[in-house]
Structure formats: C-alpha cells, structure tokens
Amino acid sequence: MINQKKDIIIWLKKSKTLIEKIIEMVENNINSIDTIQQTLAAIWLLKSANTKLLENHLNTCCKNTTVCESHKTNIDNMMDELLKIFKTIQK
C-alpha cells in the first residue's frame, strides 16, 4: 500500500503540474497539438490515480466483507457501493 500511495501522490502532483502548464498555454493563446497532448497526459495521470484508488478501496473495504448468508446486508451494501463507484467512473 505504501508504494501504491507514493504512486498515487506522484501521479496527482504530475497532473497538477501539467494542468498548470496547460492553463498557462491557453492564457498565452498557445493552441497547438502540444496543448492537446498535455491535456491527454493529465487525463491519463488522473485516470491512473483514480484506478489505483479504486483498487485500494476494493482491496480494503470491499474485500473484508464476509460472504455468507448471515451477512447478506453487508453484501448488499457492498454491491450498492460498487454500483455507485462504477456509475461515477462512467460519467
């Protein structure tokens, strides 16, 4: 988890730097393929961080849910949470 946390922080900081650069480019009327590439790179970094955050969430919160009939409420809650996450990702 520690290495994953470091990766997430690195991706978020890099995306922040890229977004600041993109804003500067747009403010200076630099509308080129480079601006588009920088935007796509920032999106990729954010999606990578988001994927790793989701993976960590599933491994910590959802994985700990016991699968048995007496814990059906926990399973239902887990399924509701997963559905919310996937709906959020699709937006």
Side-chain angles (χ1 to χ4, degrees), residues 33-82:
I33 192 70
D34 189 43
T35 308
I36 296 167
Q37 289 173 332
Q38 296 298 321
T39 303
L40 292 173
I43 291 168
W44 182 87
L45 288 165
L46 290 170
K47 283 185 175 184
S48 296
N50 191 53
T51 300
K52 191 57 70 175
L53 287 166
L54 175 59
E55 180 183 332
N56 289 340
H57 175 69
L58 292 174
N59 282 324
T60 56
C61 298
C62 299
K63 195 174 188 179
N64 294 330
T65 301
T66 306
V67 180
C68 71
E69 196 59 37
S70 64
H71 292 94
K72 184 166 175 22
T73 303
N74 288 340
I75 295 169
D76 289 341
N77 290 340
M78 182 183 72
M79 294 303 296
D80 289 342
E81 188 171 350
L82 286 172

Side-chain angles (χ1 to χ4, degrees), residues 16-29 35 39:
K16 177 183 173 186
T17 302
L18 277 173
I19 291 169
E20 289 170 350
K21 181 178 178 181
I22 295 164
I23 291 169
E24 187 178 305
M25 293 170 82
V26 172
E27 288 175 342
N28 293 324
N29 294 321
T35 308
T39 303

